[in-house]
Amino acid sequence: MAEPGHRLSVTQGTGPELHACKESEYHYEYTACDSTGSRWRVAVPHTPGLCTSLPDPVKGTECSFSCNAGEFLDMKDQSCKPCAEGRYSLGTGIRFDEWDELPHGFASLSANMELDDSATESTGNCTSSKWVPQGDYIASNTDECTATLMYAVNLKQSGTVNFEYYYPDSSIIFEFFVQNDQCQPNADDSRWMKTTEKGWEFHSVSITPAFSQRSQKRDPGAFLREWVAYTSECFPCKPGTYASKKGSSFCKLCPANSYSNKGETSCHQCDPDKYSEKGSSSCNVRPACTDKDYFYTHTACDANGETQLMYKWAKPKICSEDLEGAVKLPASGVKTSCPPCNPGFFKTSNSTCQPCPYGSYSNGSDCTHCPAGTEPAVGFEYKWWNTLPTNMETTVLSGINFEYKGMTGWEVAGDHIYTAAGASDNDFMILTLVVPGFRPPQSVMADTENKEVARITFVFETLCSVNCELYFMVGVNSRTNTPVETWKGSKGKQSYTYIIEENTTTSFTWAFQRTTFHEASRKYTNDVAKIYSINVTNVMNGVASYCRPCALEASDVGSSCTSCPAGYYIERDSGTCHSCPPNTILKAHQPYGVQACVPCGPGTKNNKIHSLCYNDCIFSRNTPTRTFNYNFSALANTVTLAGGPSFTSKGLKYFHHFTLSLCGNQGRKMSVCTDNVTDLRIPEGESGFSKSITAYVCQAVIIPPEVTGYKAGVSSQPVSLADRLIGVTTDMTLDGITSPAELFHPESLGIPDVIFFYRSNDVTQSCSSGRSTTIRVRCSPQKTVPGSLSLPGTCSDGTCDGCNFHFLWESAAACPLCSVADYHAIVSSCVAGIQKTTYVWREPKLCSGGISLPEQRVTICKTIDFWLKVGISAGTCTAILLTVLTCYFWKKNQKLEYKYSKLVMNATLKDCDLPAADSCAIMEGEDVEDDLIFTSKKSLFGKIKSFTSKRTPDGFDSVPLKTSSGGPDMDL
C-alpha cells in the first residue's frame, strides 16, 4: 500500500486503460492506528484491478471514536447517523442472531479429543461433528468429538462479548475463552460454562484490545443463540422482528398470529385461517381440530364439595373448528363428589383442603390427635389430584428453542396427574415439587455413614407409541437439576424410590418428552405419563397420615415423646428404649421391637451406634486341625485401579477407574469418585459444586489428560458400587451374591481366598436388586504390601452383566498370621561342649505377621569322645565284675554240692554215733588235707559272703538235717 497522501495508480501492461472508480465500486476503510492514536481513511475497491482513480486518503477519526447504540458511522463524512426504521445497531458492536447459515467471519472446526497425531483414522471420524446453524440458534455436536466455533475481530477499544447459551448436560465440557493473535488465552475463570437450569442464560466477558483477536467455544453439546462483538454498521431486523423507530438499538418480536420479513418496520397480521407463534416470519394454515388438540381436567371442589370433568383446548390453540372433519370440544361431565383430601389434610367448610396441625394426623377427612406414646410421622403423601398442591408447579419447556412457556404441562385427573398437550410433541412437560428441608429422627442425624435423611417414592406409568422419555431429576439448594433416572417407551404401573442424603432445600422434577423429533405439531398427544402417588418422608413442616410409637420421657406434666439414642429400639408396650444386642444394626425407619435389630453378616460387627456392619480388618477361619487368623490392616487404605482402555465409535479413549476401601476405619466409606467436568472451571480448593460419590467401592469414567489436553484428566459419571458390607467369608456365595472362582486364575497355595461381599443402595432399571461387589483377597507371599489388584480376564470393566462387580486383591498381607505351626526347630551337633537349637519357617512360607520366630537357643553338652571313654570304662568294669561273680558262684556251688553229698551220706548210716571231734565228718579213705580248701584264708568275696551267712555261736554254718530215725532236726 502506498504512503498516506499519495495516490495509488494501477495499470495493466497489455489491457485497455482502466476507468475511474464509481462510488458503488469501492468502500472506505480505516488504516491501523499509529502510535499517536491516529489513522487514515482510505478507499478500497470491492474487486481490485477493475477501476482506478480512487479518492485520496484523508485523515480519519481518532481511534477512540465510537458511535452510540442505534447509530452507525457514515464513512463518507465520518459522522454518526441514526439507523433507519427496520434496522438497528449496537453502536460500536455487531450482533449475530440469525443462524440460517454460518455468518461471515465464523469458522467451525472439529477434532477428536485424542491428541496423538498418529490417530488419524479416529480423528477423521469427527469431520462431520461441527456447530450446525438451526435458524434461531447454532447447535454443537452431541458426540464425544470436540467442536470449536471461532470468530476473529480487530478490537479497537475495551468492551464485552455477550451471548445466550443453553447447556443442560453437565457430563460434557463447554468452555468459552478469548485469545490474542498469538493464541494466548486470557486468564479468566469464566471460561468454564455453568449448566443452565431454566432455559437460556446470558453470559458476558470483558475483553481488552490485548485479548481481542479470536474468541472460541469448544463444546460437545450446547446451543448458542446470540453473539456480540464489535464493529460499526446498522443491520436489518431479522424476520419475525421489527423496528418502528429510527435509531433503534434492538428489534422487537412480532406478537403471536403475526409475522414480518427482514428489515420490517411493523408486523403483519395473519389471515383468520392461519396462525403463527411469537416472533414468526410466516403464518401457517390452521389444521382441523382433532381429539389431540384438547385435554381433560377436573375443576376445584366447589362449596358443595363437588367437582366436574371438563375439556379444554390445548394452548396455544392452532386448530380450526370450522373446517370439514373438525371435532368439537366435548361437553363437560356431570358433577360428582370431590375425592377426599390427601392424607394429613382435612376438608374445611368451603370444601378446600388444609393441613392438620402438628401432633395430629388424618386419612384425608378429619384430623385426629396422636394417642399417648405416639408421634406423627410427618411427610407429604399425595394420592388424590383434585388440585395441584401448593408446593408443586408445572410448566412447559420448548423442545425447539428451549424457552419456558406460560403453559400448564401436567393436569390433575382425580386419582392421578398426567401430561397435557404441549405446543409441539417435542416439548418437555415439567412438574416440580419443592421441599424446604427434612426432619429426620435423631438417630439418623447421628449416623454419619448411612446418610439417608428421607426418601421419596412415587408410582407412575407411561403410555407411548413412539420414543417418549420420562426424566426424574433432583436439585439441591437451587442448583441445576441432576438427572437421576430415565424411562424410555411405555412402562407399566410401577414404583420408584430415591434416597435423600442431604438435609437441605430439595426440588424434585419430572420431565416428559413425547418425541425428540423437531416438529412443531401435535401427533402424539395421546402419549402420556401418569403419576398416581408421591410420598416424601421426614419433611420439615410436613403433615402426618399416621402416628408411630415413640420413646417416652417422664416430665412434670406426664410423659412426652423423645428420641431414643442412636442404636436403641423402642419397646412398643412400655415405650422405653433398649440397646440393640451386639453384632446387630438397627432399622432406622422402623425401630420398633427387638426384631428391628438385624444381625450382621459373617466376619463383621456393628459400629458404636448400631447403624452399620463393618470389618475391622480382622478375620478368622477354623479348620479341624487349626485356626487361621488374618489381619488386613495393611490393606485398609484406599487403592485405585483402572480397567483397560475403551474407545467410543469416534475413537475417543477412556477408562473405567475404580477406587476401593476394603476394611477398617470404623466402617467409614473412604472411596470418593468425583464428576469434575463442571468443576474444572472452579478455582482449586473451591470445588463445592462438583458431584462426588462416597462409598466402599466406586467407579468413574476417566478421560486422561493426554487425551483432553487439560492439566487434569476429566472424571465423570461417578457410580457407587458398594454402600453396605454384607459379610466376609471364604464361601463363594453370600446373601444371593456369588463370586465365581473361574473369573480369576486359580490359587495354587491351598489357602482359600477371603471374600468381602458388598451391596449398593442404587436400584436401576437394569439392576433391580442394586449393584453388588465382591473383593477376593488372596494370599500371595511374593507380592509386597499393598499388593496388586486385578479385574476378571473375561470382563475387563470389572463386570460381565453391569450389575455385579468382581475384584482380585493379591498381597502378602492377605496371608494368615504366623503361628507355632508355621515353623520348626533344627538342633545342631555338640561342638566344643555347646549345642544350638535354631527355629526356621516351614517352606513355602504361607503366613504373614503374627508371631515372630523364637530366638536361637544354646545349651551346654558333652562331646562324643568323653562319652565314648566313659562307656568303654564302664563296659570294662562291668565285664570284670561279671567274670568274678561267675567264678565265685561256681565255686560256691561246688562247695555246697560237696557238703550236701557228705550230709546225705551220713544221714543214711544206720546206728551211727556221733564221731569224735577230731574225726568228725572225715570218712574212711578221705584225706584231712581236703579241709584245707575251706579253712584257708578267705578271699574278699568270701569275707563278704561270710558276714551275710547264718552262723552258729561257735562260728560254723548251721545246716538243718533230718535224722533217719525221724527225730527233730538238728543244726550243724
Side-chain angles (χ1 to χ4, degrees):
M1 180 178 291
E3 292 290 335
H6 294 75
R7 178 173 297 179
L8 181 64
S9 177
V10 180
T11 59
Q12 292 180 341
T14 58
E17 187 174 346
L18 301 180
H19 65 275
C21 290
K22 302 177 183 178
E23 287 191 12
S24 60
E25 294 178 326
Y26 64 88
H27 62 276
Y28 293 106
E29 289 185 0
Y30 282 123
T31 62
C33 295
D34 58 21
S35 59
T36 63
S38 301
R39 56 186 174 179
W40 294 81
R41 189 202 69 177
V42 297
V44 179
H46 298 317
T47 305
L50 291 182
C51 60
T52 184
S53 300
L54 293 172
D56 294 333
V58 299
K59 186 74 171 179
T61 60
E62 295 297 324
C63 290
S64 60
F65 177 83
S66 63
C67 293
N68 297 324
E71 298 178 340
F72 72 99
L73 180 62
D74 187 348
M75 293 293 287
K76 186 174 182 179
D77 56 11
Q78 300 190 70
S79 62
C80 294
K81 296 183 179 180
C83 293
E85 297 90 341
R87 303 178 72 88
Y88 74 96
S89 92
L90 301 173
T92 56
I94 184 173
R95 182 194 304 269
F96 298 97
D97 53 10
E98 294 182 55
W99 302 97
D100 297 316
E101 60 182 4
L102 198 64
H104 177 71
F106 280 88
S108 179
L109 306 178
S110 61
N112 193 292
M113 293 184 73
E114 176 68 67
L115 299 182
D116 188 357
D117 294 336
S118 63
T120 54
E121 181 178 354
S122 63
T123 303
N125 295 333
C126 292
T127 304
S128 59
S129 299
K130 297 183 177 181
W131 290 75
V132 180
Q134 299 284 356
D136 290 336
Y137 59 89
I138 184 170
S140 75
N141 58 319
T142 56
D143 53 27
E144 64 275 10
C145 297
T146 299
T148 303
L149 183 65
M150 303 174 60
Y151 181 76
V153 63
N154 188 12
L155 192 64
K156 299 300 182 182
Q157 64 184 46
S158 300
T160 58
V161 56
N162 310 309
F163 58 91
E164 285 184 287
Y165 72 100
Y166 180 68
Y167 173 38
D169 191 353
S170 61
S171 64
I172 55 180
I173 301 172
F174 182 26
E175 58 174 330
F176 167 76
F177 56 92
V178 181
Q179 292 178 332
N180 60 14
D181 54 356
Q182 296 178 354
C183 294
Q184 296 174 329
N186 63 332
D188 192 347
D189 293 336
S190 61
R191 66 180 293 170
W192 303 104
M193 305 303 298
K194 296 181 180 179
T195 52
T196 55
E197 182 178 3
K198 294 185 177 180
W200 293 85
E201 292 191 4
F202 188 78
H203 187 70
S204 178
V205 175
S206 299
I207 53 177
T208 61
F211 288 95
S212 61
Q213 303 303 318
R214 182 168 55 180
S215 299
Q216 296 186 354
K217 284 183 171 54
R218 295 174 54 189
D219 163 58
F223 306 92
L224 292 181
R225 186 164 63 182
E226 183 177 289
W227 177 292
V228 182
Y230 287 90
T231 185
S232 297
E233 61 177 316
C234 291
F235 296 92
C237 294
K238 69 175 185 177
T241 64
Y242 69 100
S244 58
K245 298 179 181 180
K246 286 185 177 182
S248 296
S249 60
F250 64 94
C251 299
K252 299 179 181 179
L253 292 175
C254 288
N257 296 324
S258 65
Y259 72 97
S260 71
N261 298 314
K262 187 174 183 178
E264 291 277 8
T265 60
S266 62
C267 298
H268 310 285
Q269 289 295 320
C270 294
D271 296 335
D273 59 343
K274 295 182 179 181
Y275 74 96
S276 70
E277 294 186 0
K278 187 177 182 180
S280 298
S281 60
S282 61
C283 297
N284 302 316
V285 177
R286 293 183 182 272
C289 291
T290 66
D291 57 358
K292 296 180 177 60
D293 291 307
Y294 62 82
F295 62 93
Y296 65 92
T297 184
H298 284 73
T299 62
C301 290
D302 57 20
N304 297 324
E306 294 180 331
T307 183
Q308 187 178 24
L309 179 67
M310 293 187 63
Y311 294 90
K312 296 182 180 180
W313 292 112
K315 300 293 183 180
K317 183 184 177 184
I318 60 175
C319 64
S320 174
E321 304 174 59
D322 301 327
L323 298 178
E324 184 179 355
V327 300
K328 301 291 185 181
L329 194 66
S332 299
V334 297
K335 289 190 175 184
T336 58
S337 298
C338 285
C341 295
N342 281 308
F345 291 81
F346 70 96
K347 188 167 292 187
T348 63
S349 57
N350 57 358
S351 297
T352 61
C353 295
Q354 295 293 328
C356 290
Y358 183 78
S360 59
Y361 70 99
S362 83
N363 58 3
S365 55
D366 297 327
C367 298
T368 304
H369 286 286
C370 288
T374 64
E375 62 180 354
V378 294
F380 285 131
E381 183 180 358
Y382 301 123
K383 63 180 182 180
W384 298 109
W385 303 93
N386 185 250
T387 58
L388 195 66
T390 55
N391 58 350
M392 300 183 72
E393 59 182 17
T394 178
T395 186
V396 176
L397 174 66
S398 171
I400 298 177
N401 57 16
F402 304 103
E403 289 183 342
Y404 282 90
K405 303 178 179 179
M407 300 171 56
T408 299
W410 293 68
E411 288 288 343
V412 295
D415 64 344
H416 67 275
I417 185 172
Y418 76 104
T419 52
S424 61
D425 286 335
N426 68 337
D427 287 346
F428 292 92
M429 319 306 289
I430 307 295
L431 178 66
T432 301
L433 167 65
V434 179
V435 176
F438 301 94
R439 187 181 177 181
Q442 189 66 30
S443 58
V444 176
M445 298 288 287
D447 187 357
T448 58
E449 291 304 314
N450 292 333
K451 299 180 180 179
E452 178 180 341
V453 298
R455 58 178 58 194
I456 178 172
T457 302
F458 59 91
V459 179
F460 71 98
E461 178 184 24
T462 57
L463 305 173
C464 303
S465 59
V466 287
N467 57 336
C468 70
E469 289 184 314
L470 175 63
Y471 302 88
F472 175 62
M473 299 174 286
V474 177
V476 178
N477 282 336
S478 301
R479 299 178 195 167
T480 304
N481 288 327
T482 301
V484 173
E485 190 59 270
T486 303
W487 296 270
K488 298 182 179 181
S490 295
K491 298 295 180 183
K493 193 174 181 179
Q494 58 186 276
S495 173
Y496 177 80
T497 299
Y498 174 77
I499 304 299
I500 302 155
E501 297 183 345
E502 188 172 354
N503 190 357
T504 183
T505 301
T506 306
S507 64
F508 305 98
T509 300
W510 294 264
F512 180 74
Q513 187 181 34
R514 292 179 169 87
T515 178
T516 57
F517 297 124
H518 286 227
E519 297 181 4
S521 60
R522 297 190 184 114
K523 295 181 180 179
Y524 309 111
T525 305
N526 292 334
D527 292 2
V528 296
K530 297 181 180 180
I531 296 179
Y532 293 92
S533 65
I534 301 175
N535 188 2
V536 189
T537 64
N538 299 335
V539 176
M540 183 185 300
N541 300 325
V543 294
S545 60
Y546 68 97
C547 295
R548 60 192 175 196
C550 67
L552 297 179
E553 180 182 41
S555 62
D556 296 337
V557 294
S559 59
S560 60
C561 282
T562 185
S563 296
C564 284
Y568 284 69
Y569 66 90
I570 302 173
E571 183 64 46
R572 287 183 178 272
D573 297 334
S574 61
T576 57
C577 299
H578 298 272
S579 176
C580 277
N583 293 327
T584 62
I585 58 174
L586 182 65
K587 292 180 180 179
H589 293 280
Q590 296 175 342
Y592 307 114
V594 70
Q595 64 272 13
C597 302
V598 182
C600 289
T604 65
K605 63 181 183 180
N606 62 277
N607 60 354
K608 291 182 179 179
I609 60 175
H610 291 269
S611 63
L612 58 84
C613 299
Y614 76 101
N615 176 268
D616 56 359
C617 298
I618 303 298
F619 179 73
S620 296
R621 176 173 63 89
N622 296 318
T623 65
T625 57
R626 62 177 286 192
T627 297
F628 293 89
N629 296 313
Y630 297 80
N631 189 334
F632 302 123
S633 298
L635 309 179
N637 295 329
T638 57
V639 293
T640 59
L641 171 66
S646 301
F647 297 87
T648 65
S649 59
K650 298 292 185 179
L652 175 65
K653 181 170 68 174
Y654 66 94
F655 299 87
H656 283 106
H657 189 267
F658 302 94
T659 305
L660 297 85
S661 57
L662 184 70
C663 59
N665 302 301
Q666 292 295 311
R668 294 191 302 272
K669 303 180 181 73
M670 305 301 292
S671 299
V672 179
C673 294
T674 304
D675 180 356
N676 70 348
V677 172
T678 54
D679 192 40
L680 291 175
R681 60 178 171 80
I682 301 175
E684 187 175 354
E686 299 180 12
S687 55
F689 294 93
S690 61
K691 176 185 178 183
S692 63
I693 293 293
T694 303
Y696 294 115
V697 182
C698 61
Q699 171 194 271
V701 175
I702 299 292
I703 304 176
E706 63 269 18
V707 173
T708 62
Y710 304 119
K711 293 181 180 180
V714 174
S715 173
S716 64
Q717 303 175 28
V719 176
S720 172
L721 305 181
D723 294 310
R724 291 173 287 129
L725 177 61
I726 303 301
V728 184
T729 179
T730 54
D731 298 333
M732 288 195 302
T733 301
L734 180 65
D735 193 34
I737 307 172
T738 301
S739 175
E742 61 271 12
L743 290 179
F744 302 98
H745 60 273
E747 63 89 19
S748 58
L749 301 178
I751 299 178
D753 298 336
V754 179
I755 308 174
F756 286 71
F757 292 85
Y758 303 87
R759 282 195 188 277
S760 73
N761 295 328
D762 297 333
V763 177
T764 63
Q765 298 179 65
S766 57
C767 304
S768 57
S769 299
R771 300 180 182 89
S772 67
T773 298
T774 64
I775 303 178
R776 283 181 169 265
V777 183
R778 177 172 297 176
C779 173
S780 182
Q782 291 77 24
K783 296 186 177 181
T784 57
V785 177
S788 64
L789 276 168
S790 59
L791 298 171
T794 56
C795 309
S796 60
D797 291 334
T799 177
C800 300
D801 56 8
C803 297
N804 301 293
F805 292 78
H806 307 281
F807 302 90
L808 174 64
W809 194 338
E810 298 174 279
S811 174
C815 296
L817 296 177
C818 295
S819 65
V820 294
D822 294 304
Y823 66 82
H824 62 93
I826 298 178
V827 182
S828 67
S829 60
C830 187
V831 178
I834 295 177
Q835 189 175 50
K836 298 180 180 179
T837 303
T838 305
Y839 300 90
V840 296
W841 297 114
R842 299 184 186 277
E843 294 295 337
K845 183 184 178 184
L846 302 180
C847 64
S848 174
I851 65 173
S852 302
L853 283 174
E855 295 183 356
Q856 188 181 57
R857 191 174 64 183
V858 178
T859 58
I860 298 176
C861 63
K862 302 295 183 179
T863 62
I864 187 170
D865 294 338
F866 172 80
W867 289 112
L868 181 61
K869 294 177 182 178
V870 173
I872 293 174
S873 300
T876 302
C877 294
T878 302
I880 295 172
L881 178 61
L882 290 175
T883 302
V884 172
L885 290 175
T886 302
C887 294
Y888 166 76
F889 285 113
W890 180 80
K891 288 181 179 183
K892 182 68 174 176
N893 186 57
Q894 289 293 343
K895 181 180 178 181
L896 290 176
E897 285 182 357
Y898 176 78
K899 288 184 176 183
Y900 182 74
S901 63
K902 289 291 185 179
L903 292 174
V904 170
M905 290 176 65
N906 292 332
T908 57
L909 294 179
K910 295 181 179 181
D911 302 328
C912 182
D913 296 329
L914 291 173
D918 57 350
S919 61
C920 181
I922 300 178
M923 299 183 64
E924 183 180 359
E926 288 185 348
D927 195 349
V928 180
E929 294 177 356
D930 293 338
D931 234 32
L932 296 175
I933 299 174
F934 302 99
T935 60
S936 62
K937 189 175 181 179
K938 296 182 179 180
S939 64
L940 173 64
F941 291 103
K943 291 181 178 181
I944 296 174
K945 181 67 175 62
S946 65
F947 287 127
T948 58
S949 300
K950 182 179 179 182
R951 290 182 175 271
T952 58
D954 55 2
F956 292 97
D957 295 338
S958 63
V959 179
L961 295 178
K962 187 175 182 180
T963 62
S964 58
S965 60
D969 294 339
M970 52 186 300
D971 292 333
L972 292 180

